[in-house]
C-alpha cells in the first residue's frame, strides 16, 4: 500500500513549464545525455519531456522535478548580496574529476528544511565505469575505476542493489551484436560484514549461502532473484525483465575468495587501487564475472554473441536470431573427441580416443652433448595456446559429418583416423604426432592441423575415416586479438616492450619479479583468462555422478572439445616446426619438452647462448627467438647438465622444474 501511495504521490509532483525546463538545463551547462545518465533513462525521454510530447510519470517524474529544482536553486543569489551575472553551473563529474559528494541519489525527507542559502550546493559525483568496489568505514562507500568515491545512503544489500541499478555502471558492448555488461560490485570484507553476510561460507562443497539465510529472504521480498549458481563468491542477482530492460547486478564477495582463488591472485590493495586495477582488466578484456576461466569463455561470447537482431517479416519486428559467425547451438562431439566421462565414450576402445594433447617428452643427452654443454636452458613460449587460436578455422554449429575413406582436405576442420606409423622419426626431436613424443605405432585420430603438418613434412596421408565440420570459420580470432593486446599493453606497463634486441628483452624480464605486484597480478589474470577459457571448452563434470552421465556444461554452445584439440595441436606443431628449423640452422636439438617449454643444452647459462642473434639482434624469423610477442620465447630458467641427468634418471621431466628446482 505504501509503495502504491508513493507512486501516486510521485505522479502528482509539479514540473516547471516546458520552456523553463529547457532554460534550466542549458543554464546549468548540461546536455540531455547527462540528465538521462543521472535519471537512468534514454536521452530521447528528456527531449520528449522538454518538447511536451509526453510527461514523465512515477519515480522518474519525482527525480526529474528534484533535478530541475536543484538547477533553479543554483541561480538564486545569496541573501544581502547584489545579484551577479549568472554563469553556467559546473557540468557533472568526468573521469578526471576528484571525489565529490552525492546529491542526486536519495531524496531528502519531506519534512526537512532546505539548506541555508549561505551554503552553496556541493558538487555532484556521477558513478562512472563498469564496476565499483564497496568498502565500509562509518558508512558504505563506493570506489570507482577513475579514483572517485561516493558515500552511499544505504545499510543493506537490497538498498545497495537498488542504487547499483540506478547508477549507470556498465561496460559498453564489445560487439555490434552484443549487449552492455551488467554492473559489478565488489564487496570488501568490511562491506560484506556491514551488509550482514557471514565472514565465510559454511557450505564448503557448494560454496553458496544457505537457502534459509535472512539476506536471501530480504532479496526475495524485494523482488530479486539469484542465478542458478546461487549466492556464492560470485553471484548474479537480477529482477525479472520488464519492457525488455534487464535489471541485473554481479556481486563479488572478497571474504569468500572471489579475487584470491580460481585464477585470481590479487594482492591486498586499498579499495580505490583495487577498483582501478579491476577497471584496467575490464578495459582490456571484460568486466569480471567469476573465475578467470569463466571470464575466458564469457569473453568469447561477448566478442561473438550467439544471437543478433533479425527482422521478422511476419511480425514486422526485430527478433533475436542466430549469429552465423558465433557458436549459438550445442553440438555433440565426434565419438573420438568425447572425453572419457562422456556418454559417447562408453564402450569405446582406447585406440579410438583422440589424444591431441601437449607434449611431455624428454631424452637422455648423448655423450657429445654432455661433454660439450655444461648447462641447460629452458625456453618457454609466450601465451603459446592463446597464440595458437589466431586465425584458426574451427567447426561452428553443424554436427560433424562421418565419412569413410575420405580424401584429406586441410581446409576442413575435423577428426581424421589415419596411420602415420610409417613417418620417419628423428629421435633428437619429439614426434609431432603424439603427446609422449614417441613415434606412433598404428592408426590414431588426429585433428586437421596435425595431418596438414604431416603433409608439410612430405608424409603420405591416407585417412581411413573422418568426422568433418562443413560449417567452419575463425571463431576465436577476435578473442585472441583482445587477449594479445591486453597482454602486450600490460607487459609494456611493466617495462617490457616489443621490437627490442633479445639481450634487452632478457634484461627487462630479469627485472620483472621486482615490478609492481598489482601489475604482475593483472598480467597473471590476463594469461589465466586465456588459458582457462580454452580449458572451459572441454569442461568436465563438477560433481561425482554415475559413469557416462551427462553434465550441465555439455548443453552449452561453448562446450567444444574439438576446438580445444585443434588449438593444442596447432601449438604443438608450431613449436615442432621451430625446433626442427633450429636443428637445421644451429645443430642443436631439445633435450626435453613439457607443454610449451623446451630445454636446450648450452655453453653458458643464458638463453642468448641458444637462440641465434640475427642481423638486428632480435632473432631470426621461423626459429625460437626471445621477445615479448605471442609465440616468441622467454628464458624459463637455467641449470647445470649434471642437474638435468639427475632429474632424468629419477624419471622426472626436467622441463617441469627448471624454473624452480625447489
Amino acid at each position: 500500500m505504501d509503495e502504491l501511495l508513493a507512486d501516486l504521490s510521485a505522479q502528482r509532483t509539479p514540473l516547471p513549464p516546458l520552456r523553463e525546463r529547457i532554460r534550466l538545463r542549458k543554464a546549468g551547462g548540461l546536455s540531455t545525455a547527462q540528465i538521462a545518465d543521472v535519471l537512468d533513462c534514454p536521452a530521447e525521454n528528456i527531449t520528449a519531456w522538454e518538447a511536451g510530447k509526453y510527461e514523465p510519470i512515477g519515480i522518474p517524474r519525482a527525480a526529474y522535478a528534484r533535478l530541475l529544482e536543484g538547477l533553479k536553486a543554483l541561480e538564486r543569489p545569496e541573501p544581502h548580496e547584489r545579484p551577479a551575472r549568472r554563469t553556467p553551473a559546473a557540468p557533472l563529474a568526468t573521469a578526471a574529476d576528484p571525489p565529490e559528494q552525492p546529491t542526486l541519489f536519495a531524496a531528502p525527507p519531506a519534512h526537512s528544511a532546505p539548506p541555508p542559502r549561505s551554503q552553496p550546493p556541493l558538487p555532484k559525483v556521477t558513478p562512472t565505469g563498469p564496476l565499483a568496489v564497496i568498502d565500509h568505514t562509518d558508512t558504505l562507500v563506493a570506489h570507482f575505476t577513475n579514483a572517485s568515491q561516493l558515500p552511499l545512503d544505504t545499510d543493506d544489500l537490497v538498498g545497495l542493489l537498488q542504487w547499483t541499478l540506478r547508477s549507470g555502471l556498465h561496460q559498453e558492448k564489445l560487439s555490434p551484436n552484443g549487449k552492455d555488461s551488467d554492473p559489478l560490485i565488489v564487496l570488501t570484507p568490511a562491506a560484506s560484514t556491514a551488509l550482514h553476510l557471514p565472514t565465510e561460507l559454511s557450505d564448503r562443497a557448494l560454496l553458496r549461502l544457505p537457502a534459509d539465510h535472512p539476506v536471501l529472504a530480504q532479496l526475495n521480498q524485494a523482488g530479486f532473484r539469484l542465478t542458478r549458481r546461487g549466492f556464492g563468491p560470485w553471484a548474479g542477482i537480477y529482477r525479472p525483465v520488464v519492457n525488455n530492460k534487464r535489471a541485473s547486478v554481479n556481486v563479488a564477495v572478497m571474504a569468500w575468495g572471489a579475487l584470491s582463488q580460481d585464477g585470481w591472485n590479487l594482492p591486498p590493495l586499498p579499495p580505490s587501487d583495487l577498483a582501478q586495477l579491476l577497471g584496467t582488466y575490464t578495459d582490456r578484456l571484460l568486466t569480471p564475472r567469476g573465475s578467470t576461466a569463466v571470464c575466458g569463455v564469457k569473453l568469447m561470447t561477448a566478442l561473438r554473441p550467439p544471437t543478433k537482431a533479425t527482422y521478422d517479416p511476419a511480425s514486422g519486428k526485430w527478433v533475436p536470431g542466430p549469429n552465423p559467425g558465433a557458436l549459438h547451438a550445442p553440438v555433440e562431439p565426434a565419438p573420438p573427441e568425447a572425453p572419457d566421462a562422456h556418454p559417447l565414450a562408453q564402450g569405446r576402445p582406447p585406440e579410438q580416443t583422440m589424444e591431441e594433447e601437449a607434449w611431455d617428452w624428454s631424452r637422455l643427452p648423448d655423450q657429445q652433448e654432455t661433454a660439450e654443454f655444461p648447462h641447460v636452458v629452458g625456453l618457454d613460449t609466450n601465451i603459446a595456446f592463446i597464440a595458437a587460436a589466431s586465425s584458426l578455422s574451427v567447426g561452428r554449429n553443424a554436427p560433424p559429418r562421418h565419412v569413410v575413406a575420405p580424401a584429406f582436405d586441410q581446409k576442413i576442420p575435423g577428426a581424421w583416423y589415419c596411420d602415420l606409423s610409417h613417418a620417419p622419426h628423428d629421435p633428437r626431436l619429439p614426434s609431432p604426432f603424439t603427446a609422449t613424443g614417441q613415434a606412433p605405432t598404428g592408426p590414431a585420430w588426429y585433428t586437421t592441423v596435425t595431418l596438414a603438418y604431416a603433409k608439410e613434412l612430405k608424409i603420405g596421408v591416407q585417412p581411413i575415416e573422418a568426422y568433418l565440420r562443413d560449417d567452419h570459420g575463425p571463431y576465436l580470432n577476435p578473442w585472441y586479438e583482445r587477449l594479445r593486446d591486453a597482454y602486450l599493453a600490460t607487459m609494456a606497463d611493466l617495462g617490457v616492450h616489443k621490437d627490442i634486441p633479445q639481450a634487452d628483452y632478457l634484461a627487462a624480464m630479469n627485472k620483472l619479479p621486482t615490478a609492481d605486484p598489482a601489475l604482475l597480478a593483472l598480467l597473471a589474470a590476463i594469461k589465466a583468462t586465456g588459458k582457462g577459457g580454452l580449458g572451459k571448452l572441454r569442461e568436465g563434470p563438477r560433481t561425482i555422478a554415475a559413469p557416462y552421465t551427462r553434465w550441465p556444461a555439455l548443453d552449452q554452445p561453448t562446450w567444444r572439445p574439438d576446438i580445444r584439440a585443434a588449438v593444442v595441436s596447432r601449438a604443438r606443431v608450431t613449436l615442432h616446426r621451430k625446433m626442427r628449423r633450429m636443428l637445421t640452422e644451429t645443430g642443436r636439438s631439445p633435450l626435453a619438452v613439457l607443454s610449451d617449454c623446451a630445454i636446450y643444452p648450452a655453453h653458458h647459462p643464458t638463453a642468448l647462448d641458444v637462440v641465434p642473434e640475427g642481423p638486428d639482434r632480435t632473432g631470426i624469423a621461423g626459429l625460437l627467438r626471445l621477445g615479448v610477442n605471442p609465440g616468441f620465447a622467454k628464458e624459463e630458467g637455467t641449470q647445470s647438465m649434471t642437474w638435468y641427468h639427475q632429474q632424468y634418471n629419477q624419471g622426472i621431466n626436467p622441463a617441469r622444474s627448471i624454473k624452480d628446482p625447489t
Side-chain angles (χ1 to χ4, degrees), residues 89-139:
L92 296 180
T94 65
D97 288 333
E100 301 171 321
Q101 297 297 318
T103 59
L104 293 180
F105 298 101
H111 61 271
S112 64
R117 292 279 186 262
S118 59
Q119 298 178 3
L122 293 173
K124 309 171 181 66
V125 155
T126 299
T128 182
L131 58 90
V133 175
I134 310 299
D135 194 28
H136 183 271
T137 49
D138 297 328
T139 186

Side-chain angles (χ1 to χ4, degrees), residues 14 27 44 48 62 83 100 135 144 185 198 206 223 225 243 335 351 397 413 431 514 518 555 569 595 637:
E44 293 80 5
E100 301 171 321
D135 194 28
F144 303 115
I185 53 174
L206 295 178
R225 301 292 180 264
N243 296 327
E351 65 272 12
N397 298 290
S431 168
T514 61
D555 299 323
S569 170
S595 188

Side-chain angles (χ1 to χ4, degrees), residues 28 58 103 234 245 270 292 332 343 372 374 399 405 414 419 479 575 579 587 592 645 654:
T103 59
W234 294 90
K245 189 171 183 180
T292 52
E332 287 292 288
E372 183 180 352
D419 190 352
W479 180 83
L575 181 55
M579 294 190 301
H645 277 275

Side-chain angles (χ1 to χ4, degrees), residues 31-71:
S31 67
T32 55
Q34 287 175 303
I35 299 289
D37 186 55
V38 171
L39 300 182
D40 191 23
C41 69
E44 293 80 5
N45 285 13
I46 309 302
T47 303
W49 298 346
E50 291 181 315
K53 292 182 179 179
Y54 59 86
E55 290 286 290
I57 60 174
I59 301 302
R61 181 185 181 93
Y64 185 43
R66 288 202 307 275
L67 176 62
L68 293 174
E69 180 60 26
L71 291 172

Side-chain angles (χ1 to χ4, degrees), residues 127-365:
T128 182
L131 58 90
V133 175
I134 310 299
D135 194 28
H136 183 271
T137 49
D138 297 328
T139 186
L140 290 176
V141 178
H143 296 260
F144 303 115
T145 57
N146 67 350
S148 64
Q149 303 174 20
L150 181 67
L152 302 179
D153 187 19
T154 185
D155 59 1
D156 60 26
L157 187 58
V158 168
L160 178 59
L161 293 171
Q162 291 171 336
W163 169 82
T164 305
L165 291 173
R166 297 194 306 268
S167 68
L169 294 174
H170 72 288
Q171 180 186 21
E172 297 290 338
K173 59 187 179 183
L174 301 183
S175 162
N177 296 316
K179 297 178 180 178
D180 293 350
S181 74
D182 294 327
L184 168 68
I185 53 174
V186 178
L187 305 181
T188 67
S192 56
T193 298
L195 294 170
H196 313 294
L197 294 172
T199 55
E200 62 180 24
L201 293 172
S202 57
D203 188 340
R204 303 306 300 168
L206 295 178
L207 285 178
R208 43 176 80 162
L209 206 59
D212 59 353
H213 195 278
V215 168
L216 296 186
Q218 293 171 3
L219 292 176
N220 187 59
Q221 290 171 3
F224 285 103
R225 301 292 180 264
L226 293 167
T227 58
R228 186 171 55 186
R229 62 182 173 181
F231 202 143
W234 294 90
I237 305 177
Y238 67 96
R239 277 178 168 159
V241 174
V242 178
N243 296 327
N244 293 321
K245 189 171 183 180
R246 294 185 303 167
S248 305
V249 178
N250 291 315
V251 180
V253 185
M254 294 181 64
W256 302 344
L259 292 169
S260 57
Q261 58 190 22
D262 297 327
W264 296 100
N265 189 24
L266 303 188
L269 293 170
S272 182
D273 292 350
L274 177 60
Q276 293 178 68
L277 177 65
L278 294 175
T280 303
Y281 177 91
T282 300
D283 288 343
R284 293 177 180 175
L285 293 181
L286 79 168
T287 306
R289 295 185 58 182
S291 68
T292 52
V294 167
C295 292
V297 79
K298 292 295 183 184
L299 181 61
M300 295 179 193
T301 56
L303 293 166
R304 289 199 189 269
T307 61
K308 70 171 189 174
T310 305
Y311 184 73
D312 178 22
S315 64
K317 298 180 179 179
W318 290 88
V319 297
N323 186 3
L327 304 181
H328 53 72
V331 176
E332 287 292 288
E337 297 166 343
D340 290 340
H342 196 280
L344 289 175
Q346 188 169 8
R348 181 181 62 191
E351 65 272 12
Q352 286 292 317
T353 302
M354 178 182 280
E355 293 289 348
E356 290 280 27
E357 297 295 340
W359 274 314
D360 186 350
W361 170 86
S362 59
R363 66 176 178 86
L364 186 66

